[in-house]
Every structure is written in C-alpha cells, then in structure tokens.
Amino acid sequence: MSLLRSASTVSSFTLLSRVAGLVRDILVARAFGAAPLTDAFWVAFRIPNLLRRLFAEGAFAQAFVPILGAARAKHGDDGVRPLLDKVALLLTVVLMVVTVIGMVAAPWVVMAMASGLRSGADAAGFDGAVWMTRVMFPYILCMSLVAFASGVLNTWRHFAVPAFTPVLLNVAMIAACIWLAPHINPPIYALAIGVLVGGVLQLAIQWAALLRLGMAPRFSLRMGEAWADPTVQRILKQMLPATLGVSVAQISLLINTNIATWLPAGSVTWLSYADRLMEFPTAMLGVALGTVLLPSLSAANARADKQAYSTLLDWGLRLTLLVGLPGSVGLALLSDGLVATLFHYGAFSAHDVAQTRIAVMAYGVGLIGLLSVKILAPGFYARQDIRTPVKIAVVVLVLTQCLNLVLVPRLAHAGLALAIGLGACLNALLLLVILLRRGVYRPGPGWGAFVLRLLPALLAMAAVLVYADRHLNWIALQAHSGERALWLAVVLAGSAATYGAVLLLCGVRPRDFKRRGIESH
C-alpha cells in the first residue's frame, strides 16, 4: 500500500473521529455552556490525556515503534512475539500503579493542574474536578495498552483499526451526554463516566485486531525476565529522553491550563473548543502523516537508504503546506462562522462565541508549525535520536512561557493560544534546520515553483472567505440554525473549490504526490 493511500486511510478515519468529537462538543456546549463546572470537566479530562500522551502515545510510541520495526526485520514475526509479551507486561504493571496513585492523589493533581478552580466563584468546580479525575484515571491504563496495540498494528501496516477506534470515545461521551446525564447530579459527571467507557471500548477493539493478526501478547508473572530483556532495556532507555521530550510539552500545557483557571470563568472551555477546531487539520494531516511516516522512515533507516529517507520527509512537508496553509487561512478568516455554527446553541452565548473565536484565530497562527513538527520529529525518532527533539522542546518551553508573560496580560486566554502557536513554529524551524545541517534531509527540486503555485490559490480562497464573512451575520442566524449550517457548508465548499481550481490552473496535480520513491517497501 502506498504511503499516500495509507495516509488517506488514517486521515479518513481521523476525520470521522473529529466529526464525532465536534458533535460531542456541540452537545456539551449546548447543555453546559462555559460555566465553572464545565471548566472543571475539561481540566479533569486533560489530566488523563496529559499522562496518556506522556506514557502512551508520546514517549512509548517514539521508543517502541522504531525498535519493534528493526526487531521484526531482523527476527521475523515469530521472533518478536516474546518481545511483545514482555513489553505488554511491564507497561500494564507500571500503568496500574500510576492509575492507583493518581486516583488517591487526585486533589493534589488537580491543584497542580488548575489551582485557580479553588479561588472565588470557581471554588465549587474544584471538588467536581477531583471527582471526575478519579473516575477518568483508569482511562490512562486503557489508552496505554491501546498505544501498544496501535504500535504493533501500524508496524504491520494495519492502519485502519488504530485510526478508527478514537471514534468510540466520542460515541461513548455523546451517549453519556444524551442518556446518562439526566439521571446524574450534577449532570456533567456523566461525561467522565463516558470517557472511561470509551477507553474500555477502544482497548477491546484494538485487542481483537491483535488477536486476528496473531500478535496479541500473552501475559505472565515473570516481571524479572521481562525487565532483564536487552531489547526491553533498549526501549526503556529510549523512553527516558522521549518521556522528557513529551513531558516538556505537557508541562507547558499544565502551566497554560493553570494560568487559564485564573482568568475569567469560561477560559478553559473557550480554549478547549478552539483546540477542537485545531484538531481537524492537525489530526487529519499531521497525525495521519506522522503515523504512516514513522514505520517507513524506520525501514529506510534500517536499509541505510538516505535518498528514500529524504524523499519521505520531502513528500510529507509538501503535503503539509498544500493542506496546512489553506487550513490556517480558513481558521483566521472563517473563525466566527465556524464557532457560531458549531457551538452557538443553548447555554453557549454570543459572548462565548466571541471569546472562542479569538482563541481559534490565535491558534491558527501556529497551524503550519504544529503540522510540520508531526513530520519533522519522526525524522529524528526513526533514527533513534530522541535527544535532539528533547533539547529543542526545552528551548520552546522556555520561549512559550516568556511569550505568556507578554501576551496573556494583553490578550488573556487568546495570549495562551498564540504563545503555543508561535512556539510550535519555532519548534518546527529548529527541527528543520538541524535536519538540513546534518544532511539527513535534502530538499527535492522544485520547492520554489511549488510555493509560488500555492500563493495565487491561497489569495483566491482568502477572497472568497472575506466576502462571505462580510455578508453573513453568523450570530444573528442563531434562530435559523439549519440555514446557518447550510451557509457554512456553502462557504467551505466554495473556498475549497476555488483553492483546488486555482491550484490546477497553476499546474499542481494529484499525481505530484504519488511517486514510486515514496511507496512503502
């Protein structure tokens, strides 16, 4: 299967997940608005997500997938089964301990994450955040094992199931919001239960896929043997710098969330919904490309094929600009229509729309940076160089917090979003410069012409969006939600069609992104 087709598969299922996530957030916004308890839920939800990224999708995946791919190439499928058994055992035991500690220490965890919830009018939200944190903490264990299963399935180039399963989390939360919330007091606690159910469902689906593949691990009680395995030790050694690298980003998120809880009530919620809109392009393109690139880059590195390695990165960066630039323009010029159409119902007021819109525009500044990091970082991970991205992440953390000192007093919650976006751009730039200096990435020919072909298409698309924004009052259309949704669909389709048509006129063709040099081996 070509990388383009693999990326399209991941992107399609990711789009389905993000649509389900939007439906979820629309229901949550309509039912709960941007109140202190809503902030408490988003804070509590970020805590297991933070640790999931730290232990599972982040550090573990970066260390596990390249080593697993090399072990499979050397020993074959049968030879890697003992490795899978030992890694799964250690991962399960460690995360069970972390889960128990987290549930017991939930009040202190919430205090570290969101001390502002205990002040003033938000004091009632603190107890709610503690309760929901305890309910959701086992989600970390589920998602760590899901990350293990995803790493195996992606290494065997079975991308569809790992890409689909996040839909189940959103479905479980939607069901909890509709059917469980009316029977719980306060109703928002139902969302925490939905998160836990969603984690269990994701694990069940992925484990079934491992069983079909014949790669499901067999658990034992031989912890000492698992710990002493040389390959497991290599994974652990790689995880240490990877954990530091991921933790740097999560420390930044923790600081930003804590700052947001000291801003006006609703700030955490406004940032959460703005982040949801950012997840569409970052997940559809950045995560999809990063997912399919890492195994292929690892294989190219194992073959010492420098040309294929460089070609893979070149392909990913061109697709990033092709899709990411119009995404950034769309977030900047259509933010009012997007936020109003998706969230302006029930308890979510016009003021909430305005505040979320500002955050969306601020996030949009860093979209290309966020996407590019998803392409460039695997360029280091596949070479089992995790220390370099870690050092860059530390620099970015310091810069982001310096930007917060300047931007938050002036822009409040939008300053937090803008600092993250600018930090992501710096992160991507530093990764790119180092890859170029080391000769790992050599840009292919035609970059100048490619960028020049994009500019007219972007300008034409921007003109359509500006015209639409000037002639449509998105807030006033609240009473006609169907008409508003139709207008948004028309504007999105029109701007996308304009962008695509001008690209074709400028000579950009789909076949330019499907070449033999980037086919998987």
Side-chain angles (χ1 to χ4, degrees):
M1 181 183 289
S2 72
L3 285 185
L4 185 60
R5 184 178 301 174
S6 299
S8 298
T9 299
V10 176
S11 184
S12 298
F13 282 121
T14 303
L15 174 61
L16 179 61
S17 174
R18 293 305 180 260
V19 170
L22 265 181
V23 173
R24 176 199 78 191
D25 288 350
I26 290 169
L27 292 173
V28 173
R30 175 179 289 184
F32 306 111
L37 268 179
T38 315
D39 281 357
F41 166 73
W42 290 117
V43 166
F45 189 36
R46 284 187 183 185
I47 292 170
N49 266 335
L50 183 153
L51 292 177
R52 170 178 59 83
R53 291 168 183 168
L54 187 64
F55 289 110
E57 294 178 355
F60 176 75
Q62 293 164 15
F64 179 58
V65 172
I67 292 177
L68 176 63
R72 184 192 180 200
K74 183 177 181 180
H75 302 294
D77 291 2
D78 293 334
V80 299
R81 284 191 175 90
L83 173 64
L84 297 181
D85 297 344
K86 295 168 184 175
V87 171
L89 174 62
L90 282 177
L91 187 67
T92 301
V93 171
V94 170
L95 268 298
M96 286 179 68
V97 173
V98 170
T99 298
V100 172
I101 293 174
M103 294 176 72
V104 173
W108 294 275
V109 174
V110 173
M111 176 59 72
M113 186 84 171
S115 57
L117 288 179
R118 214 167 192 177
S119 66
D122 289 347
F126 183 82
D127 292 337
V130 169
W131 191 92
M132 289 185 280
T133 296
R134 284 179 169 148
V135 171
M136 289 189 283
F137 234 97
Y139 175 76
I140 301 166
L141 174 59
C142 293
M143 295 311 297
S144 297
L145 292 174
V146 165
F148 169 86
S150 296
V152 176
L153 292 169
N154 289 336
T155 300
W156 267 254
R157 304 194 185 279
H158 291 256
F159 298 109
V161 171
F164 167 75
T165 48
V167 175
L168 299 174
L169 171 65
N170 294 318
V171 170
M173 293 179 69
I174 289 169
C177 186
I178 295 174
W179 290 296
L180 185 58
H183 304 287
I184 292 181
N185 186 30
I188 201 167
Y189 283 7
L191 296 179
I193 298 172
V195 169
L196 181 57
V197 172
V200 172
L201 290 174
Q202 290 182 75
L203 178 57
I205 294 295
Q206 295 227 28
W207 218 254
L210 284 184
L211 287 169
R212 289 194 300 271
L213 189 63
M215 288 294 161
R218 296 156 295 185
F219 288 95
S220 69
L221 298 178
R222 296 191 291 271
M223 280 289 295
E225 180 182 334
W227 180 264
D229 185 272
T231 308
V232 172
Q233 288 293 317
R234 281 183 59 209
I235 294 173
L236 292 174
K237 288 178 181 177
Q238 286 290 82
M239 279 188 69
L240 289 176
T243 301
L244 177 59
V246 177
S247 66
V248 168
Q250 299 313 309
I251 288 170
S252 181
L253 176 62
L254 187 152
I255 295 172
N256 286 0
T257 300
N258 211 329
I259 294 172
T261 62
W262 288 96
L263 297 175
S267 295
V268 176
T269 301
W270 298 328
L271 286 169
S272 295
Y273 290 147
D275 186 62
R276 165 60 58 185
L277 290 178
M278 281 290 294
E279 284 184 359
F280 262 89
T282 55
M284 284 180 60
L285 182 65
V287 174
L289 287 178
T291 298
V292 301
L293 276 176
L294 184 55
S296 297
L297 286 168
S298 299
N301 184 64
R303 300 192 307 270
D305 191 340
K306 295 181 179 180
Q307 180 58 45
Y309 202 93
S310 189
T311 301
L312 285 163
L313 291 173
D314 201 80
W315 172 78
L317 288 174
R318 292 196 188 211
L319 269 181
T320 295
L321 290 185
L322 183 74
V323 180
L325 286 174
S328 184
V329 171
L331 288 173
L333 300 180
L334 196 58
S335 56
D336 201 20
L338 289 168
V339 175
T341 304
L342 295 172
F343 304 122
H344 188 210
Y345 308 98
F348 202 83
S349 67
H351 174 69
D352 296 326
V353 171
Q355 297 302 317
T356 305
R357 169 183 176 269
I358 296 170
V360 170
M361 295 176 69
Y363 271 133
V365 171
L367 178 59
I368 290 297
L370 291 168
L371 291 172
S372 298
V373 168
K374 300 290 186 182
I375 307 302
L376 296 168
F380 293 90
Y381 303 148
R383 295 165 60 86
Q384 300 183 25
D385 175 10
I386 299 178
R387 287 180 171 80
T388 300
V390 168
K391 294 174 183 176
I392 293 173
V394 172
V395 172
V396 171
L397 170 63
V398 174
L399 175 71
T400 300
Q401 298 313 315
C402 291
L403 288 171
N404 280 339
L405 292 174
V406 177
L407 297 173
V408 173
R410 294 168 174 80
L411 301 175
H413 67 287
L416 293 169
L418 183 57
I420 290 173
L422 294 174
C425 291
L426 176 67
N427 195 342
L429 180 61
L430 291 175
L431 290 171
L432 177 61
V433 168
I434 293 174
L435 285 173
L436 291 171
R437 284 183 176 177
R438 293 180 179 177
V440 175
Y441 169 50
R442 295 183 178 86
W447 263 100
F450 174 68
V451 172
L452 288 176
R453 288 170 178 172
L454 293 182
L455 291 178
L458 291 169
L459 290 173
M461 175 186 169
V464 173
L465 294 176
V466 169
Y467 179 85
D469 197 57
R470 288 181 178 177
H471 289 81
L472 290 169
N473 188 334
W474 299 103
I475 298 297
L477 285 170
Q478 182 187 23
H480 308 282
S481 57
E483 181 182 345
R484 183 166 60 181
L486 179 60
W487 274 116
L488 179 64
V490 169
V491 173
L492 287 172
S495 58
T498 301
Y499 179 70
V502 177
L503 280 179
L504 290 173
L505 289 174
C506 293
V508 177
R509 299 290 183 270
R511 63 175 178 269
D512 297 338
F513 298 91
K514 186 176 181 180
R515 301 173 182 169
R516 291 184 63 186
I518 61 171
E519 298 296 315
S520 56
H521 292 263

